[in-house]
Amino acid sequence: MSENKINLKSAWDLAPSLESTSLINLKKQYELFIGGKWVKPSSNKYFDTNNPATEEKLASIANANAKDVDLAVKAARKAYDTTWSKLSGKERGKYIYRIARIMQERAKELAVVETLDGGKPIRESRDIDIPLAANHFFYYAGWADKLEYAFPNRNPKSLGVAGQITPWNFPLLMAAWKIAPALACGNTVVLKPAETTSLTTLLLAEICEQAGLPDGVVNIVTGAGDTGAEIVNHDGIDKIAFTGSTGVGKIIQKAIAGTDKKATLELGGKAANIVFEDAPLDQAVEGIINGIFFNQGHVCCAGSRLLVQESVYEVVLRKLKDRMESLILGNPLDKNTDIGAINSKEQLDTINHYIKLGKEEGAEIYQPEGKLEKKGYWCKPTLFTGVAQSNRIVQEEIFGPVLAIQTFRTIEEAITKANNTPYGLSAGVWTDKGSKIFNMTSQLRAGIVWANTFNKFDATSPFGGYKESGFGREGGLHGLEAYLSFEN
Amino acid sequence: MESKKLSIINHPLSITKVDQVGISDRVSRITKRSVKNEAKIYGLKMALSMIDLTTLEGADTVNKVKQLCYKGMHLHDSYGDLPTVAAICVYPNFVGLAKEQLKGSGINVASVATAFPSGNSSLEVKITDTKMAIDAGADEVDMVISRGKFHQGEYNYVFDEIAKIKEVCGKHARLKTILETGELGSLDNVRKASDIAMYAGSDFIKTSTGKISPAATLPVTLVMLEAIKDYYYETGIQIGMKPAGGISNAKLALQYLMLVKETLGDKWLTNEWFRFGASSLANDVLMQLEKQRTGNYQSKDYFSKD
Amino acid sequence: MSRIEVLKTYKMYIGGKFPRTESGIHYPQLDSKGNPIANMCKASRKDFRNTVVEARKAQEPWANRTAYNRSQILYRIAEMLEGRKAQFIEELMQMGTTKKQAENEVFTSIDRLIYYAGWADKYQQISSSVNPVSGAFFNFSMHEPTGVVAVIAPEENGLIGLVSTIAPIIVSGNSCIVLASESKALCSISFAEVINSSDVPGGVINILTGNALELIPHFSTHMDVNSLLYCGNNKKAIQLMKENSVTNLKRIVVKKDIDWMKDENESPYFITKFTEVKTTWHPIEKIGASGSGY
């Protein structure tokens, strides 16, 4: 193979193209949203939320303690008892439709705030996070009066008050995944967003107000892990829905073991993305890129392990490196940015720890050239080659733009390696051969299998994992089940 | 003897798979690039310099061709400092005239040949057609492949025909091979035809005659650019790309250039290696340039139509 | 002089074989008056460990059988049970059930097997979905067996509890390890003999006898068990199982206060409790359809 290098760092540089922030009007300080009112935290304590791209403070966020959580749960219970459980499905649905519509109207504002607060590229928050979030409300709104058809002969009933804890990687989208089905099934909600990314969830609270949602149906309490623990341990909660790390998920499962609380856990992953020699290779490379660099790799279902058939390893690696050259890392507000800021200093430290570990374990690292800004938290897209199944960067979830590449020879070896993990959230397979696709998709132990595509999401499509990636499904018809009780 | 690793990717007649949905995704990602201000002006001027200003009508006349040549040299004199187009593209019988009109301008004359646009004729006729263009001074020959033979699975015939025409072109003219992608039926076939055309010796691969719909599209172009890239890595030989037909506005032209930028990079962002086959693109690009200069949206009445 | 009866040695059923417990410890099965009628194996932690190995080995091939085949094998178990119903009625009566109740329990057990046999190639059709995603993708969700399922069978019934938990678990392609009712263990091992002669591959169904509270810590902490079904009311045990389940995030299913004799407690939704939902995406090329192109 010749050494012809293609130069994709072009002389034709794109001029900055920043999304305007004039549309947004952030408050200096955000209170708790309890019982339809904005309430000061009983401790009177606040914490800062920052822009990870600039490290500048965006707003102060109320820190909810046990007392505040108790108020929120009581408000939710009251709303459940007095209004929400008394409404017909049709009426509930209409409220949820309203929320969806207002989200669509305020989409640009939500996108900009999501990007400012979380560091993700505006292209992603604009084209993926916000539209999908609205889609979830729209989809589940329609289920509210049709639950009997989803579960024939089972007489589905709402559970009561759902305690929900969302992660920082898709703040508004995860809030939508949790709130929309909960409300459609007739439950009320106490939700805690992740402490580094509370803003869009608070805007969602505003939207609930705008929609005229009855007081207390949705309550938002902000804070860190200890606030979440108060929700998990509160006696008035009937259901816990958590998305986050497997470690925290296990703590939650243990904490509620002695109770009748139902739980849905969406936890970590270490997905294998498997490329066969007969795959459409250029599209596979694009899938690899989307698989691991989407949202800076802060994705539980990220394709963080690449398994390439050895016969095409060199070609795939070459194409991958070329494609990485054209990725634009920088200001998340720039419409051309592909890779934004790492969500927090803490997460950047974790990623850098793994990158160091990968080097120490003897893996070969590749990162495109280019300088990183001094301010803000940044990490270059990173490949590790020469890794073995026993490398920690292959086994552990990094939650950053770091891809570990291995080779395989046979279908059997690919399946063995792909399934050789405690996780089982997602997997990818690339081949042009239909029967091989079905062989792979049926043998891969994962809740979502993408064949000849990767990292696609939809409101109608159930999402959730096998094994230590958690249990329960969110999205689609199957996502309703987590918020209902049945006769049989 | 050192054994060369025969890549399954680039073996001429291997089928490199293309997934249409994946291609569409990639295209839509690239077309979402926002090109503004100085980057836009740079891109627009580049686009102008890459145009093969084309007239391929049965009704072409001497004066029509003359006017087109003048337009190619003087795109919009009031703007100043504009490039000329890359080439004027005509039928073989107008090559001599165009050559004379363009003398000293640096603009090439491209001629379609090989029983354009259908390609349905004997090899002898196609060779004669090509020779006629070259003898009249054509700098570039735009041939069409035999799509019928391609669909019959006679890939060797298609390959040999291109190789033969290349031989006729020799050092006199660069060979641009038109795949007529709108007749190939799938992106997999576009990829296959691209590989055949390149391995048979084409200097450029080109999407369309402009006589068939669809003509050039972004997905088809991306497939061809990827083929060019793989071929370049495999052989070290640089092949040019020419989407033709249907590219009539500046925004679309910039999107094509963005495909080139992100797929092949700097080496191809020149009119030596990338062309637009177009008849009405220039004026829209000019209007955009004026918009950038004056800040006002433009009217077609202020730009010459030839 | 009457004939001396040959007494049966009740062993356990593991991997298609009938071994004794490795611990060598037994406990007496009592009749309704409290007299010992047989010695039952008291399964140990090691017995369980060995059984998980067998169940794991058997699970994938079992899941890879066609649904039609699994359906026929479940039907075959029912056939074999029908043929040996007298023995089961007698055993149930030995353990203190009236004749009428015993007959009823055996007949219901046979019918339940047939009920679930019928679901093998149908449950997928009522609980899977094709999801109309916004985009050029074909997307469907279907159920797959969870893997190896450990079961603490209902204490109250000797046979119907066993049948009602085993059938819905294996019908989807899981393998199972069942701890039979401690106090009504006799017919669990006789049922194993039925299974053993019913074309059920060895290791798909494994039956242990012993003490639930002793074994629950091992059942719930084993890293290679995917799911655990507990039939009972012991709150402490339930909490312990749920706490222990975090070792590998085992799916814990609890069935409290169930009257297994009732038809309402047979359900396809009991099958899907021991499955995982897998969602598959694949692009749909848009060429040739009206308005599409490339």
Side-chain angles (χ1 to χ4, degrees):
Chain A
M1 199 163 291
S2 56
E3 291 300 311
N4 311 304
K5 183 79 187 103
I6 277 177
N7 178 18
L8 290 158
K9 289 275 180 227
S10 169
W12 182 26
D13 269 330
L14 299 179
S17 178
L18 299 184
E19 184 59 76
S20 164
T21 55
S22 62
L23 201 67
I24 67 164
N25 186 18
L26 287 178
K27 291 184 215 159
K28 276 214 163 104
Q29 181 172 305
Y30 283 88
E31 312 298 349
L32 307 169
F33 186 67
I34 296 174
K37 312 271 179 312
W38 293 94
V39 190
K40 285 196 176 304
S42 58
S43 65
N44 213 25
K45 281 187 183 148
Y46 294 83
F47 58 93
D48 293 349
T49 192
N50 299 326
N51 179 344
T54 60
E55 301 179 42
E56 283 161 10
K57 177 177 170 177
L58 291 166
S60 294
I61 308 286
N63 196 356
N65 62 16
K67 215 169 150 188
D68 303 313
V69 168
D70 185 53
L71 276 179
V73 174
K74 285 183 173 140
R77 175 63 58 191
K78 191 177 160 209
Y80 179 77
D81 289 340
T82 58
T83 54
W84 199 243
S85 66
K86 302 228 155 51
L87 279 182
S88 69
K90 259 202 176 65
E91 299 301 311
R92 282 203 311 273
K94 277 150 71 180
Y95 278 117
I96 305 168
Y97 275 126
R98 275 195 199 170
I99 295 172
R101 275 304 200 218
I102 301 171
M103 283 178 85
Q104 288 173 331
E105 280 165 19
R106 293 179 67 174
K108 195 155 191 180
E109 177 195 357
L110 290 166
V112 171
V113 174
E114 198 73 299
T115 285
L116 282 174
D117 202 17
K120 66 173 62 203
I122 188 72
R123 179 183 63 80
E124 291 178 7
S125 46
R126 178 197 65 202
D127 295 347
I128 299 164
D129 288 65
I130 311 303
L132 258 182
N135 185 193
H136 267 265
F137 277 101
F138 213 89
Y139 175 77
Y140 279 110
W143 269 124
D145 59 351
K146 302 174 188 68
L147 298 172
E148 291 292 336
Y149 295 91
F151 306 100
N153 299 320
R154 298 186 75 188
N155 194 14
K157 292 250 176 4
S158 59
L159 299 170
V161 178
Q164 308 181 320
I165 299 167
T166 54
W168 46 259
N169 57 344
F170 295 93
L172 184 68
L173 181 59
M174 290 301 111
W177 279 29
K178 300 226 166 349
I179 295 175
L183 298 192
C185 293
N187 307 279
T188 57
V189 160
V190 176
L191 184 143
K192 185 198 88 68
E195 68 271 22
T196 60
T197 53
S198 309
L199 286 177
T200 46
T201 308
L202 292 162
L203 292 184
L204 179 59
E206 282 182 19
I207 290 170
C208 291
E209 268 187 305
Q210 254 182 296
L213 193 70
D215 291 348
V217 171
V218 170
N219 303 275
I220 307 295
V221 287
T222 43
D226 45 354
T227 310
E230 295 297 343
I231 296 177
V232 169
N233 294 319
H234 198 290
D235 287 343
I237 295 278
D238 300 298
K239 153 92 191 179
I240 296 290
F242 170 78
T243 298
S245 70
T246 293
V248 175
K250 288 181 171 184
I251 292 170
I252 291 174
Q253 169 74 354
K254 203 159 190 167
I256 61 172
T259 72
D260 286 331
K261 289 172 192 167
K262 283 183 82 174
T264 316
L265 304 175
E266 300 287 2
L267 309 176
K270 191 76 188 176
N273 202 357
I274 304 164
V275 179
F276 284 96
E277 63 180 9
D278 60 354
L281 289 184
D282 291 309
Q283 288 77 64
V285 165
E286 196 58 21
I288 297 164
I289 294 280
N290 288 333
I292 187 62
F293 301 132
F294 173 52
N295 199 27
Q296 296 72 247
H298 304 327
V299 186
C300 46
C301 54
S304 50
R305 291 187 291 145
L306 174 61
L307 294 171
V308 186
Q309 195 156 22
E310 205 163 331
S311 55
V312 288
Y313 171 70
E314 283 170 41
V315 179
V316 169
L317 195 63
R318 182 200 87 206
K319 285 174 181 284
L320 196 53
K321 286 179 176 175
D322 270 350
R323 180 67 182 91
M324 284 167 76
E325 291 288 327
S326 60
L327 290 173
I328 300 172
L329 185 150
N331 189 345
L333 275 178
D334 193 312
K335 291 172 200 164
N336 289 320
T337 291
D338 296 306
I339 298 181
I342 299 302
N343 186 268
S344 65
K345 170 85 170 43
E346 199 187 356
Q347 187 55 28
L348 181 59
D349 289 345
T350 304
I351 297 167
N352 284 335
H353 160 75
Y354 275 108
I355 290 178
K356 191 163 157 269
L357 197 67
K359 289 184 197 162
E360 284 167 5
E361 286 181 324
E364 196 182 320
I365 186 170
Y366 172 81
Q367 293 176 320
E369 286 179 19
K371 275 202 176 126
L372 299 178
E373 291 283 338
K374 285 231 168 63
K375 272 274 177 198
Y377 316 126
W378 309 98
C379 180
K380 285 184 181 180
T382 304
L383 302 183
F384 274 110
T385 54
V387 295
Q389 193 74 8
S390 47
N391 279 110
R392 278 182 64 193
I393 53 168
V394 170
Q395 294 178 336
E396 295 172 24
E397 186 177 38
I398 300 173
F399 227 61
V402 182
L403 179 66
I405 308 180
Q406 297 169 269
T407 59
F408 67 91
R409 295 155 299 175
T410 61
I411 292 172
E412 192 183 2
E413 186 181 0
I415 291 167
T416 304
K417 281 182 169 165
N419 286 341
N420 179 212
T421 164
Y423 295 112
L425 186 51
S426 63
V429 53
W430 298 83
T431 164
D432 208 43
K433 188 170 178 179
S435 62
K436 187 152 65 185
I437 288 172
F438 283 114
N439 180 22
M440 295 301 292
T441 58
S442 53
Q443 292 202 63
L444 290 166
R445 299 281 292 159
I448 304 106
V449 182
W450 286 291
N452 293 323
T453 186
F454 208 95
N455 266 351
K456 298 284 177 192
F457 309 93
D458 197 273
T460 67
S461 177
F463 186 96
Y466 287 27
K467 302 197 280 186
E468 292 203 24
S469 290
F471 43 73
R473 292 291 176 270
E474 292 184 315
L477 182 154
H478 297 87
L480 292 165
E481 205 168 336
Y483 291 98
L484 293 167
S485 65
F486 303 100
E487 274 179 2
N488 54 27
Chain B
M1 214 176 81
E2 199 189 10
S3 76
K4 188 170 179 296
K5 187 172 167 188
L6 184 62
S7 163
I8 63 154
I9 305 311
N10 273 326
H11 189 263
L13 295 183
S14 79
I15 303 164
T16 298
K17 278 83 176 178
V18 180
D19 181 74
Q20 187 226 8
V21 177
I23 285 283
S24 302
D25 275 4
R26 178 76 185 113
V27 165
S28 80
R29 177 115 184 232
I30 295 176
T31 54
K32 275 182 185 152
R33 290 288 194 212
S34 167
V35 188
K36 289 198 156 168
N37 305 326
E38 62 273 19
K40 187 166 184 181
I41 293 169
Y42 186 98
L44 291 170
K45 286 188 177 173
M46 189 158 58
L48 282 182
S49 77
M50 291 169 164
I51 291 175
D52 280 6
L53 196 59
T54 302
T55 184
L56 294 167
E57 305 293 332
D60 283 344
T61 58
V62 169
N63 281 346
K64 165 75 185 176
V65 172
K66 276 187 182 172
Q67 286 164 21
L68 198 72
C69 290
Y70 190 83
K71 171 80 174 181
M73 292 184 283
H74 304 271
L75 281 168
H76 194 58
D77 285 345
S78 68
Y79 188 95
D81 193 28
L82 281 181
T84 63
V85 298
I88 299 292
C89 182
V90 292
Y91 272 111
N93 52 328
F94 290 107
V95 168
L97 173 66
K99 193 76 191 163
E100 183 192 307
Q101 294 294 311
L102 295 168
K103 195 170 280 173
S105 67
I107 298 176
N108 283 347
V109 175
S111 172
V112 296
T114 70
F116 181 93
S118 75
N120 276 327
S121 193
S122 67
L123 182 59
E124 290 70 30
V125 168
K126 291 182 184 183
I127 288 170
T128 309
D129 199 19
T130 308
K131 276 188 178 151
M132 175 183 162
I134 288 171
D135 290 347
D139 305 291
E140 299 168 9
V141 167
D142 290 24
M143 74 169 287
V144 290
I145 66 165
S146 295
R147 282 88 75 192
K149 296 285 187 190
F150 182 91
H151 283 301
Q152 282 166 224
E154 295 178 44
Y155 304 124
N156 282 344
Y157 183 95
V158 176
F159 185 99
D160 292 346
E161 197 176 58
I162 297 168
K164 192 76 201 166
I165 300 297
K166 169 70 179 176
E167 206 181 302
V168 175
C169 289
K171 290 210 165 76
H172 309 292
R174 291 173 89 194
L175 177 63
K176 307 215 228 34
T177 302
I178 301 170
L179 311 179
E180 195 65 303
T181 54
E183 288 186 340
L184 294 182
S186 72
L187 292 178
D188 293 298
N189 277 349
V190 170
R191 171 71 197 221
K192 200 190 295 179
S194 300
D195 286 344
I196 292 170
M198 290 188 294
Y199 278 89
S202 310
D203 298 299
F204 257 81
I205 51 177
K206 175 176 169 183
T207 59
S208 322
T209 60
K211 306 295 180 195
I212 291 290
S213 180
T217 66
L218 289 162
V220 156
T221 302
L222 179 57
V223 170
M224 293 169 73
L225 292 173
E226 297 283 12
I228 288 171
K229 185 173 172 174
D230 285 337
Y231 183 77
Y232 180 66
Y233 272 115
E234 192 68 17
T235 65
I237 299 168
Q238 193 172 357
I239 304 287
M241 171 70 201
K242 179 178 173 184
I247 307 161
S248 57
N249 69 62
K251 189 179 176 189
L252 190 53
L254 288 177
Q255 290 176 341
Y256 274 96
L257 290 177
M258 200 53 60
L259 286 191
V260 179
K261 173 179 154 63
E262 298 221 346
T263 313
L264 294 169
D266 260 5
K267 274 184 195 165
W268 272 263
L269 283 173
T270 133
N271 66 5
E272 197 186 348
W273 297 107
F274 191 80
R275 297 284 178 81
F276 290 108
S279 53
S280 57
L281 172 63
N283 274 5
D284 197 66
V285 174
L286 291 166
M287 281 167 65
Q288 293 303 317
L289 278 169
E290 280 292 12
K291 153 72 178 58
Q292 290 295 318
R293 188 170 70 159
T294 63
N296 303 327
Y297 290 105
Q298 299 295 305
S299 156
K300 287 181 180 169
D301 288 349
Y302 296 80
F303 298 85
S304 63
K305 291 178 191 160
D306 290 282
Chain C
M1 192 175 150
S2 63
R3 180 179 168 269
I4 301 292
E5 213 177 340
V6 179
L7 293 178
K8 177 165 162 184
T9 309
Y10 286 85
K11 297 195 280 186
M12 299 194 292
Y13 186 53
I14 300 173
K17 297 193 174 71
F18 289 90
R20 290 194 171 86
T21 166
E22 64 79 40
S23 68
I25 301 175
H26 292 76
Y27 74 93
Q29 168 71 55
L30 307 176
D31 67 14
S32 56
K33 296 182 187 101
N35 303 314
I37 44 176
N39 280 325
M40 306 306 298
C41 292
K42 194 165 189 185
S44 69
R45 175 186 180 171
K46 276 191 183 167
D47 288 322
F48 176 64
R49 180 199 64 189
N50 296 342
T51 315
V52 173
V53 173
E54 296 297 330
R56 175 61 64 196
K57 221 185 325 180
Q59 193 265 321
E60 215 182 284
W62 176 240
N64 285 337
R65 299 247 182 151
T66 64
Y68 179 36
N69 184 245
R70 284 199 303 273
S71 178
Q72 291 177 89
I73 290 175
L74 259 83
Y75 189 84
R76 181 78 180 146
I77 304 175
E79 285 179 340
M80 299 312 281
L81 191 54
E82 182 80 41
R84 293 168 64 168
K85 58 192 168 201
Q87 178 193 348
F88 284 89
I89 293 167
E90 191 185 329
E91 280 180 348
L92 285 170
M93 285 165 64
Q94 272 187 293
M95 294 187 294
T97 314
T98 66
K99 180 154 195 254
K100 183 128 180 65
Q101 281 173 331
E103 278 174 2
N104 210 356
E105 183 167 345
V106 174
F107 298 156
T108 307
S109 297
I110 295 165
D111 292 354
R112 187 138 304 159
L113 281 164
I114 288 173
Y115 172 81
Y116 281 112
W119 274 121
D121 48 9
K122 298 171 193 69
Y123 87 96
Q124 193 73 258
Q125 289 178 304
I126 64 158
S127 55
S128 296
S129 61
V130 171
N131 311 307
V133 296
S134 314
F137 297 94
F138 189 75
N139 175 300
F140 60 95
S141 299
M142 53 179 284
H143 293 261
E144 284 187 350
T146 297
V148 173
V149 183
V151 181
I152 310 286
E155 187 58 37
E156 314 77 56
N157 324 89
L159 184 63
I160 186 69
L162 210 59
V163 169
S164 301
T165 50
I166 289 173
I169 288 171
I170 65 160
V171 72
S172 67
N174 292 297
S175 61
C176 65
I177 301 152
V178 189
L179 181 68
S181 163
E182 185 180 11
S183 60
K184 298 190 170 173
L186 269 197
C187 49
S188 64
I189 298 307
S190 304
F191 185 60
E193 291 157 16
V194 167
I195 293 162
N196 198 46
S197 52
S198 305
D199 307 329
V200 179
V204 171
I205 302 170
N206 304 277
I207 298 179
L208 306 180
T209 49
N211 180 268
L213 291 181
E214 232 172 67
L215 286 168
I216 278 172
H218 310 308
F219 272 48
S220 54
T221 52
H222 199 297
M223 297 292 278
D224 207 27
V225 171
N226 301 97
S227 181
L228 172 54
L229 165 64
Y230 172 73
C231 303
N233 293 320
N234 187 324
K235 272 197 174 158
K236 268 194 170 164
I238 294 170
Q239 178 167 357
L240 180 73
M241 275 184 278
K242 285 189 178 170
E243 282 174 0
N244 284 346
S245 74
V246 303
T247 50
N248 67 337
L249 285 185
K250 237 175 237 89
R251 283 76 170 120
I252 305 287
V253 181
V254 174
K255 283 282 180 185
K256 280 188 215 170
D257 307 318
I258 303 282
D259 181 353
W260 293 103
M261 291 295 291
K262 287 194 173 153
D263 276 359
E264 67 201 41
N265 289 313
E266 57 186 21
S267 157
Y269 308 116
F270 199 31
I271 301 173
T272 53
K273 283 239 183 285
F274 304 96
T275 62
E276 304 284 334
V277 175
K278 177 184 274 180
T279 300
T280 305
W281 294 68
H282 196 278
I284 304 172
E285 188 176 79
K286 296 286 181 197
I287 292 178
S290 75
S292 64
Y294 58 90

